């Protein structure tokens, strides 16, 4: 996102001996040349004219030794594709520019998918070629440039295409002038201007006969939509180009605001999982909230894309305070207990991080289940004796899976307590609503976790040290359930290993939460009070 100084420096570059060549004298410049008029003009201009590489110098000549051409033969048009390749070979030989040709093949795809697949192949090949050239020259990859021949005409077509399909500011900003090391130095030229440039220079180019097939959306826009719009504005491409610049810069600014807001909203993050504070998300302006959802989704599914209907569905769940849905890429979006969780399929197959309702249960790794129940201490009964008595038949659960471990937690220490203990019976159904709606967060160990282990009289210890002392293999520690007060909150219980002293059952406890881990095939039981 440019500042005012950077924006106007691009529009009105001033030559200065102090201007730095940010790309460096040896950094490679890869030209993506198909053989069409636009890319042919790009190659000729790179060899004979000044181009702006977005390196801080403005338009400048490119040292010949930096130039490299990449041509991709997609083999989609038979002999015509081979003719394109030969044309580019001849032109590069005539201009003295080194050429790299890569071949690609595709399975049966429809027009839209084919266009997207071909584009991915081209950019992947360009990034690979740049990496190889940088390794050969020792130039940093960030200093290299990949130049494409996108024009103002391409930008106009993409603008209309995205408008037809339905798009937000990111799509309507169309093709950016620069994205990382990819630069479009011809973005202010129209296709017609480049054709005239080549005609004056006496240089031919290749025509793709599929460009007249209006079954492709781009060709439909090019031949049916743009000419009609141009009847009302002879400078249509320039006008839309200015609009795209404005939308692009404002979109970048909004994305920056959303990224800042998201950082304050993240409650928990690990591979395949992002947990957001739903209250913060719900209070954000809708334009920022939409972007926050997209950014969070990208963290768990970087290769997937969300449509607006998906974003709106997620925010509807946030506004309602409940609900779940499946997003592209198998991502599970779940709104519960004041948090929005986005979880990948891989994360769901491992230890499931999420809320545990009380009473309630949730699956753990290795076919185990964590259960939570409310236990009310009857008047005149010792809480300690009640716990000891309840633990006696631990391994004799009729019809149930064997118990691996159990812990009793003081509900009052967690903030859940009866307002009027004399009003309620020992039946959990008669307990007050704030107790029945109790919940705990369950995930895995996180670097830096500390707790006050039971029996250490309030002294703290790293959870990693506790796991080491319990001889839990490092490879298995990620699947050890850690029960917390909230995402990122205090550790209540390291499942099956140690209870935190701050939440233990005491002689003053009146309401307990019983946590049980059950697993098929368990032969031993353990308990923590």
């Amino acid at each position: 996102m440019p500042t005012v100084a950077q924006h106007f420096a691009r529009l009105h570059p001033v030559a200065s001996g102090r201007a730095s060549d940010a790309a460096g004298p040896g950094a490679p410049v890869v030209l993506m040349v198909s053989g069409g008029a636009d890319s042919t003009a790009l190659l000729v201009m790179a060899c004979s004219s000044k181009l702006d590489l977005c390196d801080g110098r403005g338009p400048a000549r490119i040292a010949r030794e930096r130039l490299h051409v990449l041509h991709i033969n997609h083999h989609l048009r038979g002999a015509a594709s081979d003719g394109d390749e030969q044309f580019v070979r001849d032109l590069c030989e005539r201009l003295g520019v080194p050429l790299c040709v890569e071949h690609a093949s595709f399975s049966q795809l429809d027009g839209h998918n084919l266009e997207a697949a071909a584009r991915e192949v081209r950019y992947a090949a360009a990034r690979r070629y740049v990496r190889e050239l940088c390794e050969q020259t020792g130039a940093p990859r960030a200093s290299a440039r990949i130049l494409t021949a996108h024009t103002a005409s391409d930008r106009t077509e993409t603008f209309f295409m995205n408008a037809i399909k339905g798009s937000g500011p990111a799509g309507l900003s169309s093709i950016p002038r620069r994205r990382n090391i990819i630069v479009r130095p011809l973005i202010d030229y129209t296709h017609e201007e480049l054709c005239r440039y080549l005609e004056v220079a006496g240089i031919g180019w290749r025509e793709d006969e599929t460009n007249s097939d209006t079954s492709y959306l781009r060709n439909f826009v090019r031949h049916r939509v743009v000419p009609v719009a141009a009847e009302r504005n002879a400078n249509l491409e320039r006008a839309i180009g200015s609009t795209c610049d404005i939308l692009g810069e404002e979109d970048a600014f909004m994305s920056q605001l959303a990224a800042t807001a998201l950082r304050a909203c993240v409650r928990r993050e690990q591979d395949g999982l992002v947990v957001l504070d739903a209250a913060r998300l719900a209070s954000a302006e809708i334009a920022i909230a939409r972007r926050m959802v997209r950014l969070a989704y990208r963290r768990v599914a970087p290769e997937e894309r969300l449509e607006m209907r998906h974003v709106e569905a997620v925010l509807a769940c946030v506004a309602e305070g409940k609900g779940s849905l499946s997003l592209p890429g198998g991502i599970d979006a779940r709104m519960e207990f004041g948090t929005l969780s986005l979880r990948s399929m891989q994360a769901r197959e491992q230890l499931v991080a999420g809320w545990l309702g009380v009473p309630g249960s949730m699956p753990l790794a290795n076919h185990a289940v964590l259960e939570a129940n409310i236990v009310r201490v009857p008047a005149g009964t010792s809480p300690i004796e009640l716990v000891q008595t309840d633990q006696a038949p631990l391994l004799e659960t009729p019809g149930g899976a064997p118990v691996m471990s159990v812990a009793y937690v003081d509900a009052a220490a967690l903030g859940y307590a009866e307002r009027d203990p004399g009003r309620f019976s020992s039946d959990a159904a008669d307990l007050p609503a704030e107790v029945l709606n109790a919940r705990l967060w369950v995930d895995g160990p996180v670097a830096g976790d500390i707790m006050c282990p039971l029996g250490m009289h309030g002294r703290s210890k790293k959870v990693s040290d506790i796991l080491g002392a319990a001889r839990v293999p490092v490879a298995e520690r990620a699947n050890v359930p850690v029960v917390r007060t909230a995402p990122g909150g205090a550790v209540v219980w390291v499942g099956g290993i140690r209870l935190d002293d701050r939440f233990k059952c005491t002689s003053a406890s009146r309401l307990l939460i019983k946590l049980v881990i059950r697993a098929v095939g368990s032969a031993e039981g353990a308990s923590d009070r």
Side-chain angles (χ1 to χ4, degrees):
M1 182 174 58
T3 62
V4 172
Q6 292 168 338
H7 173 77
F8 285 98
R10 175 180 63 79
L11 295 179
H12 307 289
V14 178
S16 171
R18 294 174 298 175
S20 61
D21 182 358
V29 177
V30 174
L31 312 175
M32 299 180 69
V33 180
S34 66
D38 299 338
S39 63
T40 299
L42 173 66
L43 174 54
V44 175
M45 286 183 173
C47 293
S48 60
S49 305
K50 295 181 178 181
L51 293 178
D52 188 352
L53 301 184
C54 297
D55 58 5
R57 298 187 307 162
R61 295 292 294 267
I62 305 172
R64 182 60 67 94
E65 61 270 16
R66 295 178 60 191
L67 294 177
H68 302 266
V69 170
L70 174 65
H71 174 79
I72 308 298
N73 188 337
H74 294 296
H75 295 284
L76 294 174
R77 297 165 26 249
S81 293
D82 295 334
D84 294 343
E85 177 185 332
Q86 189 58 51
F87 171 82
V88 175
R89 286 186 182 276
D90 293 342
L91 184 59
C92 288
E93 183 178 356
R94 189 182 354 157
L95 296 174
V97 180
L99 168 68
C100 173
V101 175
E102 290 208 11
H103 297 264
S105 60
F106 300 90
S107 58
Q108 294 297 321
L109 297 170
D110 62 43
H112 171 73
N113 290 333
L114 183 58
E115 182 180 359
R119 182 172 58 249
E120 289 298 321
V121 166
R122 289 195 297 272
Y123 281 113
R127 289 189 292 267
R128 188 166 55 248
Y129 190 30
V130 163
R131 186 167 55 249
E132 294 172 358
L133 291 172
C134 287
E135 290 174 354
Q136 293 171 11
T137 61
R141 185 171 178 273
S143 298
R145 293 291 184 268
I146 298 171
L147 304 191
T148 71
H150 288 101
T151 66
S153 304
D154 295 317
R155 211 178 196 192
T156 298
E157 292 162 7
T158 301
F159 174 88
F160 280 117
M161 289 169 63
N162 289 339
I164 289 171
K165 291 185 291 187
S167 179
L172 294 179
S173 62
S174 190
I175 303 171
R177 293 177 178 275
R178 175 184 178 181
R179 179 177 286 125
N180 300 322
I181 66 171
I182 300 173
V183 177
R184 283 100 182 188
L186 306 185
I187 202 71
D188 290 322
Y189 291 90
T190 67
H191 174 71
E192 289 73 17
E193 288 171 339
L194 295 179
C195 289
R196 287 197 297 270
Y197 169 82
L198 292 177
E199 290 170 352
V200 171
I203 298 173
W205 63 86
R206 298 282 294 180
E207 289 286 357
D208 184 346
E209 63 275 10
T210 63
N211 285 340
S212 61
D213 183 357
T214 55
S215 64
Y216 292 92
L217 179 57
R218 181 173 295 279
N219 293 339
F220 174 80
V221 168
R222 177 179 301 164
H223 298 295
R224 302 280 183 84
V225 177
V226 171
V228 174
E231 292 176 3
R232 290 301 184 107
N233 186 348
N235 289 319
L236 179 70
E237 290 155 326
R238 299 271 188 268
I240 289 183
S242 296
T243 300
C244 292
D245 283 336
I246 294 171
L247 287 171
E249 289 160 0
E250 295 190 357
D251 179 61
F253 177 67
M254 293 284 284
S255 294
Q256 188 179 68
L257 292 180
T260 300
L262 182 64
R263 283 194 293 271
C265 193
V266 173
R267 298 277 294 276
R268 170 80 177 175
E269 185 172 7
Q270 63 189 60
D271 288 343
L273 172 70
V274 174
V275 181
L276 305 181
D277 185 322
R280 284 179 177 268
L281 182 58
S283 64
E285 292 83 357
I286 186 65
I288 297 296
R290 289 188 182 115
R291 292 167 183 270
M292 292 169 69
V293 170
R294 289 185 183 277
L295 289 174
Y297 173 79
R298 199 175 301 157
R299 294 188 181 186
V300 296
E303 303 301 322
E304 299 290 340
R305 285 190 60 188
L306 274 188
E307 296 180 12
M308 180 59 73
R309 60 189 177 91
H310 298 130
V311 176
E312 293 294 287
V314 170
L315 291 177
C317 291
V318 172
E320 191 175 353
K322 62 181 180 179
S324 64
L325 62 152
S326 181
L327 301 176
I331 304 302
D332 177 75
R334 193 167 298 275
M335 177 65 209
E336 55 185 351
F337 301 124
T339 62
L340 172 67
S341 301
L342 300 178
R343 186 177 291 107
S344 69
M345 294 177 65
Q346 183 179 4
R348 294 202 301 275
E349 293 172 357
Q350 300 170 354
L351 174 63
V352 176
W355 286 107
L356 170 65
V358 183
S361 65
M362 68 181 297
L364 301 176
N366 303 317
H367 306 289
V369 176
L370 174 60
E371 299 175 351
N373 288 290
I374 299 172
V375 176
R376 187 167 181 270
V377 180
T381 301
S382 166
I384 304 297
E385 293 179 0
L386 176 65
V387 168
Q388 292 173 341
T389 301
D390 191 49
Q391 287 175 337
L394 194 60
L395 300 178
E396 302 174 5
T397 308
V403 173
M404 295 175 64
S405 183
V406 62
Y408 289 85
V409 180
D410 186 348
L414 291 170
Y416 302 109
E418 297 178 86
R419 296 177 181 175
D420 184 3
R423 287 178 52 204
F424 306 101
S425 71
S426 58
D427 186 349
D430 293 329
L431 293 174
E434 62 267 26
V435 173
L436 292 178
N437 289 329
R439 73 266 191 184
L440 296 163
W441 178 261
V442 182
D443 56 17
V446 178
D449 272 346
I450 60 171
M451 65 182 298
C452 299
L454 184 65
M456 288 187 60
H457 309 290
R459 295 195 302 273
S460 63
K461 191 172 183 179
K462 291 182 179 179
V463 169
S464 59
D465 293 339
I466 294 172
L467 294 173
R471 297 181 175 275
V472 178
V474 174
E476 298 177 10
R477 293 182 186 181
N479 286 333
V480 174
V482 177
V483 180
R484 307 175 191 269
T485 56
V491 174
V492 176
W493 184 40
V494 178
I497 297 176
R498 191 66 70 90
L499 180 70
D500 191 288
D501 191 76
R502 294 167 291 180
F503 305 101
K504 67 183 179 182
C505 169
T506 69
S507 58
S509 299
R510 304 308 304 163
L511 198 65
L512 305 176
I513 295 178
K514 180 180 178 181
L515 300 172
V516 178
I517 297 178
R518 302 183 188 276
V520 176
S522 175
E524 299 293 336
S527 64
D528 303 292
R529 278 205 302 276

